[in-house]
Amino acid sequence: VSEAERFWRICQAIGDIAFAYAYSTVLIEIQDTLKSSPAENKAMKHASFVGVSTTTVFYLLCGCVGYAAFREHAPGDLLSGSGFDHPVWLLNVANVCMAIHLIGAYQVFAQPIFSLVESSCRQRWPEVKFVTMDHQITIPFLGGTSFQVNWFRVVWRSAYVAVTTVFATVLPFFNVLLALIGAASFWPLTVYFPIEMYIARAKVLKFSFSWMCLQALSLVCLLVSLVAAAGSVAGLIQSLKTYRPFKNEV
């Protein structure tokens, strides 16, 4: 691996890390599910500390072990890439755990999109019953158990899942795209807006020591995001050059 390629891969890895730690897009959704006692801010401080600490240890172990085993040739996905294929039972258990984790994570991350589209459609077409009306469906042989179904939600959410699944299957650049998304969303959503909201809420004086430290942190994170984005774009270009979807392998 050349020094230039090594540098771009490091930048791309920074984007992957930014994507892994950027949970600000669902932070409000998580807070909405918490009870009022103890207070949401205290519960989220403890949950964030435990969650980020556990994630950091797990990711560091994966990164260090992967690099120790494969060096620069470590695959983007150790389970499905060219990493290892034995023992089979261990890979199967890991893939099942991955599926369970991603099913839950997909639901959490998709809820803000679902809510935005559905509320916008209700406001735009309040007279359309297909969009606004819920239908009660009774499940037979379960003691008359029933639940509410909105056919617009069923069609729209199913179509969304189908389209995203097709795109995820067709596009082979998993790590590069994750790094690009992480670089694009990390600074504005995880750093800039929270810092500005804190400054406004705490009424931090402009050009004070605290204000300058917060702005310096925001600037450093912006530079990190730009570097990660540049590495992701370079990796995407390299992947497009080497990608041969219809090449027959012997």
Side-chain angles (χ1 to χ4, degrees):
V1 179
S2 63
E3 291 299 324
E5 187 175 358
R6 186 192 301 272
F7 173 77
W8 292 124
R9 286 188 180 185
I10 292 174
C11 296
Q12 179 184 329
I14 294 174
D16 288 330
I17 294 171
F19 180 85
Y21 281 95
Y23 62 97
S24 58
T25 53
V26 295
L27 182 60
I28 297 178
E29 300 291 331
I30 296 173
Q31 288 178 334
D32 287 340
T33 64
L34 298 176
K35 297 180 180 179
S36 58
S37 180
E40 289 86 347
N41 60 342
K42 294 182 179 179
M44 286 309 301
K45 284 182 180 179
H46 179 69
S48 297
F49 176 78
V50 174
V52 173
S53 300
T54 305
T55 303
T56 301
V57 173
F58 179 76
Y59 286 164
L60 279 175
L61 286 175
C62 289
C64 294
V65 171
Y67 183 78
F70 305 105
R71 297 293 178 177
E72 291 87 353
H73 301 289
D77 188 350
L78 290 176
L79 298 179
S80 61
S82 58
F84 59 94
D85 52 9
H86 286 86
V88 177
W89 67 268
L90 180 61
L91 290 176
N92 291 336
V93 170
N95 282 314
V96 169
C97 294
M98 286 275 297
I100 295 174
H101 163 69
L102 291 177
I103 288 173
Y106 190 95
Q107 294 294 324
V108 174
F109 277 89
Q111 285 304 318
I113 301 176
F114 293 156
S115 178
L116 175 63
V117 172
E118 290 161 10
S119 60
S120 301
C121 291
R122 284 196 183 95
Q123 294 177 1
R124 186 176 181 85
W125 300 292
E127 71 285 351
V128 179
K129 294 183 178 180
F130 176 75
V131 176
T132 59
M133 181 176 290
D134 292 336
H135 303 272
Q136 184 173 353
I137 295 180
T138 302
I139 304 176
F141 311 112
L142 290 179
T145 303
S146 61
F147 60 94
Q148 301 291 329
V149 174
N150 182 286
W151 295 117
F152 171 72
R153 286 200 297 266
V154 172
V155 174
W156 141 246
R157 295 188 181 195
S158 300
Y160 177 85
V161 173
V163 171
T164 54
T165 302
V166 170
F167 271 98
T169 305
V170 172
L171 296 177
F173 320 120
F174 180 73
N175 285 78
V176 178
L177 290 178
L178 283 188
L180 185 59
I181 295 172
S185 61
F186 173 72
W187 179 75
L189 298 179
T190 308
V191 180
Y192 176 74
F193 286 118
I195 285 179
E196 292 301 320
M197 287 188 290
Y198 173 78
I199 291 175
R201 183 179 181 276
K203 297 180 180 180
V204 180
L205 295 178
K206 197 172 184 180
F207 299 113
S208 63
F209 179 76
S210 298
W211 184 89
M212 295 180 66
C213 289
L214 290 172
Q215 295 300 331
L217 174 63
S218 179
L219 178 61
V220 170
C221 292
L222 173 60
L223 295 177
V224 170
S225 296
L226 292 176
V227 170
S232 304
V233 172
L236 183 60
I237 295 174
Q238 183 65 27
S239 299
L240 288 172
K241 289 180 179 179
T242 59
Y243 180 51
R244 298 293 185 270
F246 302 107
K247 181 179 180 181
N248 294 326
E249 295 184 0
V250 180

